Amino acid sequence: MKFGRYLEDTQVPEWKRAYINYKALKKKITAIKEQLASERKTPKLGDNPIKSLNERIKNGSIFTPSPTTIRRRTTESRVGVATSAPPVTTKFSPGRSVKTVSTSPGTKDTPGGEPSGTNRTPGNRQEYGTFGQSPPISSEREQKHAAPSSPPVMLLPPPIKSISDLHVNEQETVGVEGSKRPRVTLQASSPDGVPTNQIVNSPMTPGTFSRRPRLFTALTAATRRGSVSTIGRVPTSLAEVLAELTPLEQEFVDALDAELSKVENFYREREKEAILRSNLIKVQLHELKDHRKIFHAYEEQHPTILPKVIGKMAAHIVPQSLGLNHPATEEDQQLHRLTPSTSQQGGRNASPHPTKFDPDEYHNAKKRLKKALLEFYRGVEYLSNYRILNLTGFRKALKKFEKVTSIRISQLYFAEKIDPSVLSNATPVENMLDEIEKLFAARFEGGDRKKARNRLRAHFKERSHHYSTFRTGLYIGLSIPAFIAGIYSSFQAPTREAVPAWAALLQIYLAFFIPVVFGLLVSLNLIVWAHVRINYIFIFELDVRTVVDSREYAELPAFLLMMLAYAFWLSFSGLPSRVAPTVWPMAWLVATILILVNPLPVFYPYSRRWILGESASLFLSGTRRVEFPDFFLGDQYCSMVYSLTSLYWMGCLYGSHWTLPWGRCELPLWVFPWLLATLPSWIRFIQCIRRYADSWQMLHLVNGGKYCSGILYYALYYHWRNVGSPRSKSFVAYVFFACVTSIYATAWDLLMDWSLLQRGARYPLLRKEIMYTNQIWFYYFAIVTNIIVRFGWIIYLPIPGPSPNVRAGIYAIAEAFRRFQWNFLRLENEHLGNADQYRVTREVPLPYTFDPAELSDGEDEDDGTRSARRSPLRLSRPSPFATAAAST
């Protein structure tokens, strides 16, 4: 796998902007490569190649390479030997297309116009052999004195007629690193017996020879960086290399410097935050140790008779409701003196005031600290991987640059810029990881370091999903024919005569089909989120050890769909059976509940437990902090209003033994269906109030107003349907509030939930940064369809058409699909918000509050002053044992 793809697959999605921009660096290297390729192009037919080449050299369009360039481009030997040629000249006769070559002294032209180095063999076959390099161009002085119409004078090396004419001498030369390596001298005898030495400064194997490279490659290599006399010089500093770069090459180095500065600054900030958090967690764990001593001492002195849960409830409720305040006993005071706290142990965090610990809060504090330690370890692990990936990116980019330009810059750049930076020092991060493993093992795993390491390093494991995919496809495939057969049978006249309640049954099955099919659509959400690298596991706060893949998730909705399809078919099949058609919907509902609460390890119990727990926690909204999964799930239920209200009508039908039509009940009050329809809106409204109380941001109140308008909308709708007439005042009020709710909700969707309609965006009406880059049309489609469905209440207007029940079903299906596409853009916006803040771990509130300044830069303060700023665990009531501890 190429590194660019590997970087995209392994980087932290929320830190994507802080990573090295490897693609941009590769584009600059490609531009350099294209420039070099254009310089080496063969001239057009009829042009003078040597003259054109020298004009480009004078104009500065060809630049000289480093010594490494010369050696690398002249080592195209089969066995690894490279040679460099002495200055040579070539004379061209005017008006002739065939060149006459003059060699160095000791060679001459033959009468026949061929070089004297030509070796004639039997059979009149001519051979010309040379182990030297193609000549570079002549000096500028010779070029100036040459005829204007003649190319520069060049001199070819003497020919070699046999291997015996070549002499290899080895000398020791000093390399770049100061190490000795052989210096090779190739001596070729001319026809007159005069040896011609050709020296190469690169290492070689004695007794091997190079072949002659191409002409223009040698010419370019010899003239890009200077004269031949400077070929053997190796750069010793980065400044020396930078002085010889072309503009494009310098642009690459500048971009590399900018990327290094960005990565280094980001890493330094994250490392500083991690060190501060590490010190804070160490103090928290020390406080937990003291809390544990007090807890066990309290348990020994106050054995509980009631069950633990009831005892905790009584401990929190009874003293507050009755106003009881138990004084500290002599036993409590002695016990407190036997369990020293942090203030008694002294040290950096010693406090002159005793810390108040509530024994009943010990398990809660331990649970929160364990979760905080897991999140912190994951964040430090991300930081370590961030450092390694970026260092690898810089190394890969420099290696590609060297490969294209043959400029030796990688070692010098690392030595002068990267090695002195904070990126090269992995000690602080590694020490933090090691300390966390030790602390976690000591506090939560009974000293088992291996077990602690496995728990801390738990990650989402890629697994094969062949069986789950097969089962999902099998369930869906089996449900299709049953569903089609049920639809066909329900429209047959004999079936409707045999099943008088066929209309109510269709309404019930529709209410069941909508959430089941919507559950399958959510699996498509998961697939797309994973494809575009939206970190939904972190956003939904899922456990990486038990999280399921989208294909595993789809297995349960597919199975429920298959069961529902066959129940639907059995209700209208007309098969002789003792089971009434109206029993199958209730049978399916009971079976679904049993499957969801089933404790056996089938259908991914951890995932079922998560969805049931999150759904149940919605009824506790307002009593605890609201997180993203809470209000996201609440919004999903807001689109299931039709299914929720159908439960009420279903109860009315079974209560009346299917004697009443759909939409009628023995209790003529419309308050009950209104409460069911507005239950998700009430939950979301309470969540908005709680978020405002936690953050004091008015934006949450504005969001709560949207759900208030929805509550009023349903109240006016049910009042108009049950009390008012088609053209009464209640109808006018309903239409007015429906318009207000639709405009309110649409504006919030586009501006807040999706963050669209931004100025300066690349695509009109969208945002500046988008993740579904290959499906731009989807954004516009979602905008249009979202507006249409938000104003879908128009279908209820009293105009000729289907019955109100059919209209309600159509609107419910459209709302489910609107929520399905809403999920794509909502989670994309949440992910981009996390990326803006570089948030990759959950913010777990710690049980014991401290001033972070005292842990980072408070070395010059005395211990007592710093610890005095520490606040104890927040208690809902003063514990009797804590009160006794404070009194001592």
Side-chain angles (χ1 to χ4, degrees):
M1 180 185 293
K2 292 186 177 296
F3 178 75
R5 179 64 180 273
Y6 178 78
L7 179 63
E8 291 182 359
D9 292 342
T10 56
Q11 67 184 0
V12 180
E14 289 80 4
W15 288 356
K16 183 178 180 180
R17 303 172 188 173
Y19 280 87
I20 178 175
N21 194 347
Y22 188 73
K23 286 186 177 180
L25 295 176
K26 282 184 63 177
K27 289 180 180 179
K28 295 185 180 299
I29 294 175
T30 303
I32 296 172
K33 185 177 181 180
E34 292 175 353
Q35 184 192 46
L36 295 177
S38 63
E39 292 173 357
R40 301 190 190 110
K41 279 185 178 179
T42 305
K44 295 181 180 180
L45 186 64
D47 294 343
N48 192 328
I50 306 300
K51 181 178 179 180
S52 174
L53 181 65
N54 283 284
E55 289 176 355
R56 293 169 65 192
I57 293 173
K58 291 180 181 180
N59 295 335
S61 60
I62 296 183
F63 300 88
T64 59
S66 66
T68 309
T69 308
I70 306 302
R71 289 196 297 274
R72 182 169 295 181
R73 291 177 181 172
T74 58
T75 55
E76 299 179 358
S77 169
R78 287 178 302 216
V79 292
V81 177
T83 61
S84 60
V88 293
T89 58
T90 304
K91 294 182 180 180
F92 286 80
S93 300
R96 296 180 60 183
S97 60
V98 179
K99 55 186 177 182
T100 303
V101 181
S102 297
T103 63
S104 59
T107 62
K108 60 183 179 178
D109 296 344
T110 60
E114 63 185 35
S116 59
T118 305
N119 184 17
R120 296 183 178 272
T121 58
N124 200 22
R125 184 181 62 184
Q126 296 184 357
E127 291 184 357
Y128 182 85
T130 178
F131 291 84
Q133 177 185 346
S134 297
I137 63 173
S138 59
S139 63
E140 292 184 7
R141 181 176 298 179
E142 295 175 350
Q143 294 177 20
K144 290 180 180 179
H145 293 287
S149 60
S150 301
V153 179
M154 305 179 67
L155 183 64
L156 290 175
I160 297 178
K161 299 181 180 179
S162 64
I163 299 298
S164 60
D165 294 338
L166 183 67
H167 304 282
V168 179
N169 296 331
E170 293 189 13
Q171 302 176 5
E172 288 185 347
T173 60
V174 180
V176 182
E177 307 285 341
S179 60
K180 294 183 178 181
R181 59 187 182 185
R183 182 179 183 183
V184 181
T185 304
L186 301 181
Q187 296 182 352
S189 299
S190 65
D192 296 335
V194 180
T196 302
N197 296 337
Q198 301 177 3
I199 300 175
V200 176
N201 289 324
S202 60
M204 65 167 288
T205 304
T208 56
F209 314 100
S210 68
R211 65 185 180 186
R212 183 177 65 182
R214 291 177 295 178
L215 174 62
F216 291 104
T217 303
L219 294 178
T220 306
T223 57
R224 279 188 83 235
R225 297 299 181 196
S227 62
V228 179
S229 61
T230 64
I231 290 178
R233 183 172 56 83
V234 177
T236 58
S237 66
L238 184 61
E240 186 177 350
V241 176
L242 297 180
E244 298 182 355
L245 297 181
T246 65
L248 278 180
E249 294 167 350
Q250 184 64 47
E251 185 179 345
F252 167 80
V253 176
D254 293 340
L256 200 67
D257 292 341
E259 294 297 320
L260 177 61
S261 177
K262 176 187 71 175
V263 171
E264 185 180 7
N265 292 335
F266 179 83
Y267 183 81
R268 184 184 293 108
E269 293 177 2
R270 301 288 90 74
E271 186 184 57
K272 184 178 179 181
E273 294 175 359
I275 293 174
L276 177 62
R277 184 74 171 178
S278 175
N279 295 333
L280 182 60
I281 288 180
K282 290 177 186 177
V283 178
Q284 293 275 324
L285 291 173
H286 190 74
E287 294 293 303
L288 181 68
K289 181 180 178 182
D290 294 339
H291 198 173
R292 180 176 178 270
K293 293 178 181 179
I294 296 178
F295 168 75
H296 286 296
Y298 182 82
E299 290 290 325
E300 292 176 0
Q301 295 296 324
H302 300 81
T304 57
I305 301 176
L306 296 175
K308 203 164 192 178
V309 177
I310 300 177
K312 286 187 177 183
M313 293 177 60
H316 285 277
I317 297 174
V318 173
Q320 290 181 357
S321 59
L322 301 180
L324 300 178
N325 188 6
H326 300 280
T329 62
E330 185 70 21
E331 236 174 354
D332 293 338
Q333 296 179 6
Q334 290 180 359
L335 188 59
H336 175 69
R337 285 192 290 268
L338 292 176
T339 54
S341 62
T342 309
S343 60
Q344 294 170 334
Q345 295 176 1
R348 174 177 175 176
N349 297 295
S351 173
H353 306 288
T355 306
K356 297 179 181 180
F357 292 117
D358 187 353
D360 295 331
E361 292 289 339
Y362 168 71
H363 289 291
N364 185 29
K366 182 179 179 180
K367 182 179 179 181
R368 289 161 63 182
L369 260 180
K370 183 177 182 180
K371 187 176 181 181
L373 204 59
L374 289 170
E375 291 298 324
F376 175 67
Y377 187 89
R378 187 175 295 114
V380 178
E381 229 179 6
Y382 287 155
L383 189 61
S384 178
N385 295 338
Y386 173 84
R387 185 187 70 86
I388 295 172
L389 278 177
N390 282 285
L391 287 177
T392 307
F394 285 114
R395 188 176 295 109
K396 292 283 186 180
L398 288 169
K399 185 180 294 186
K400 284 184 176 292
F401 180 78
E402 283 188 348
K403 183 178 180 181
V404 171
T405 63
S406 300
I407 300 174
R408 184 176 297 177
I409 191 177
S410 179
Q411 294 181 356
L412 296 175
Y413 193 90
F414 262 82
E416 296 187 20
K417 291 198 173 184
I418 296 182
D419 290 343
S421 67
V422 69
L423 286 175
S424 61
N425 184 16
T427 304
V429 173
E430 292 177 354
N431 289 342
M432 277 188 286
L433 292 174
D434 187 67
E435 290 178 358
I436 296 170
E437 291 176 3
K438 293 179 180 178
L439 291 172
F440 193 87
R443 294 289 183 266
F444 304 106
E445 299 296 345
D448 191 340
R449 184 77 178 272
K450 182 178 180 181
K451 190 175 180 181
R453 189 182 298 111
N454 293 336
R455 178 65 183 92
L456 288 168
R457 296 181 180 179
H459 293 286
F460 177 70
K461 296 180 180 179
E462 294 289 343
R463 302 181 297 270
S464 60
H465 307 287
H466 306 295
Y467 291 108
S468 59
T469 304
F470 171 77
R471 289 191 293 266
T472 301
L474 178 65
Y475 299 150
I476 296 176
L478 291 176
S479 64
I480 292 176
F483 176 75
I484 295 176
I487 288 290
Y488 175 78
S489 299
S490 64
F491 281 91
Q492 300 300 314
T495 303
R496 294 188 175 185
E497 292 177 1
V499 184
W502 62 269
L505 280 175
L506 288 177
Q507 296 285 340
I508 292 176
Y509 278 114
L510 178 60
F512 288 162
F513 267 110
I514 289 176
V516 173
V517 175
F518 181 76
L520 276 176
L521 294 178
V522 172
S523 66
L524 297 181
N525 290 139
L526 297 176
I527 292 174
V528 175
W529 293 335
H531 178 70
V532 298
R533 291 186 59 78
I534 291 178
N535 194 358
Y536 68 90
I537 297 177
F538 166 68
I539 294 175
F540 290 122
E541 302 182 6
L542 303 176
D543 191 346
V544 294
R545 299 172 300 169
T546 58
V547 65
V548 296
D549 186 79
S550 58
R551 288 156 288 190
E552 295 174 326
Y553 163 82
E555 189 174 347
L556 180 57
F559 182 76
L560 296 179
L561 178 64
M562 182 189 68
M563 291 176 53
L564 183 61
Y566 278 94
F568 176 62
W569 172 70
L570 290 173
S571 295
F572 295 99
S573 62
L575 296 177
S577 176
R578 295 182 180 180
V579 181
T582 57
V583 174
W584 294 111
M586 182 60 68
W588 178 87
L589 183 61
V590 173
T592 300
I593 295 175
L594 293 177
I595 291 175
L596 291 177
V597 300
N598 177 29
L600 298 178
V602 292
F603 288 119
Y604 311 102
Y606 292 102
S607 300
R608 290 188 282 108
R609 194 177 306 159
W610 182 87
I611 188 66
L612 291 176
E614 289 294 330
S615 300
S617 65
L618 294 179
F619 294 95
L620 302 177
S621 299
T623 61
R624 62 189 185 95
R625 185 179 178 182
V626 181
E627 303 293 346
F628 181 84
D630 299 323
F631 57 79
F632 183 86
L633 193 60
D635 286 331
Q636 306 302 303
Y637 282 114
C638 286
S639 296
M640 299 290 113
V641 171
Y642 181 82
S643 299
L644 292 176
T645 54
S646 296
L647 294 177
Y648 172 74
W649 302 121
M650 182 177 175
C652 293
L653 287 174
Y654 279 97
S656 63
H657 303 286
W658 296 82
T659 58
L660 294 176
W662 179 262
R664 294 289 183 268
C665 194
E666 294 179 354
L667 297 175
L669 298 177
W670 55 268
V671 177
F672 295 105
W674 171 76
L675 287 176
L676 287 175
T678 58
L679 180 60
S681 299
W682 281 110
I683 292 174
R684 289 293 291 118
F685 174 72
I686 296 173
Q687 289 177 347
C688 293
I689 297 298
R690 177 56 192 260
R691 296 189 74 186
Y692 170 75
D694 292 338
S695 62
W696 294 100
Q697 294 182 4
M698 292 297 298
L699 196 63
H700 297 303
L701 292 182
V702 178
N703 190 20
K706 178 185 70 173
Y707 297 101
C708 281
S709 66
I711 294 172
L712 291 175
Y713 160 77
Y714 282 110
L716 293 173
Y717 169 74
Y718 280 102
H719 181 268
W720 167 60
R721 287 287 305 272
N722 292 273
V723 179
S725 60
R727 295 290 188 268
S728 62
K729 295 181 180 179
S730 58
F731 171 74
V732 176
Y734 161 70
V735 172
F736 174 77
F737 271 93
C739 293
V740 172
T741 302
S742 299
I743 296 174
Y744 204 157
T746 302
W748 189 270
D749 288 339
L750 300 180
L751 299 177
M752 303 305 300
D753 287 341
W754 296 351
S755 296
L756 300 180
L757 308 182
Q758 293 183 359
R759 295 181 179 179
R762 179 182 178 184
Y763 301 98
L765 304 179
L766 303 186
R767 69 171 79 93
K768 296 180 180 179
E769 186 174 358
I770 57 178
M771 301 194 67
Y772 308 116
T773 53
N774 295 329
Q775 307 294 337
I776 302 299
W777 63 269
F778 171 73
Y779 291 92
Y780 298 102
F781 176 82
I783 292 174
V784 174
T785 54
N786 188 81
I787 296 174
I788 293 175
V789 178
R790 281 296 189 184
F791 284 86
W793 54 266
I794 298 176
I795 198 174
Y796 294 130
L797 295 181
I799 55 178
S803 65
N805 293 331
V806 175
R807 298 183 186 187
I810 295 174
Y811 180 66
I813 296 173
E815 174 62 20
F817 279 99
R818 186 199 69 84
R819 184 63 64 180
F820 164 66
Q821 70 177 13
W822 180 90
N823 291 342
F824 286 116
L825 302 182
R826 179 63 184 92
L827 220 71
E828 178 198 28
N829 189 32
E830 183 69 17
H831 175 80
L832 293 176
N834 291 335
D836 289 338
Q837 302 178 15
Y838 301 108
R839 185 167 55 236
V840 296
T841 56
R842 305 181 186 98
E843 298 177 0
V844 181
L846 299 175
Y848 315 104
T849 57
F850 291 85
D851 185 2
E854 72 184 49
L855 302 173
S856 59
D857 54 357
E859 296 294 338
D860 54 340
E861 302 178 11
D862 60 285
D863 294 339
T865 305
R866 288 196 305 272
S867 298
R869 293 198 300 267
R870 182 182 58 189
S871 61
L873 176 68
R874 297 181 180 179
L875 307 177
S876 58
R877 64 173 180 86
S879 171
F881 192 75
T883 305
S887 63
T888 59

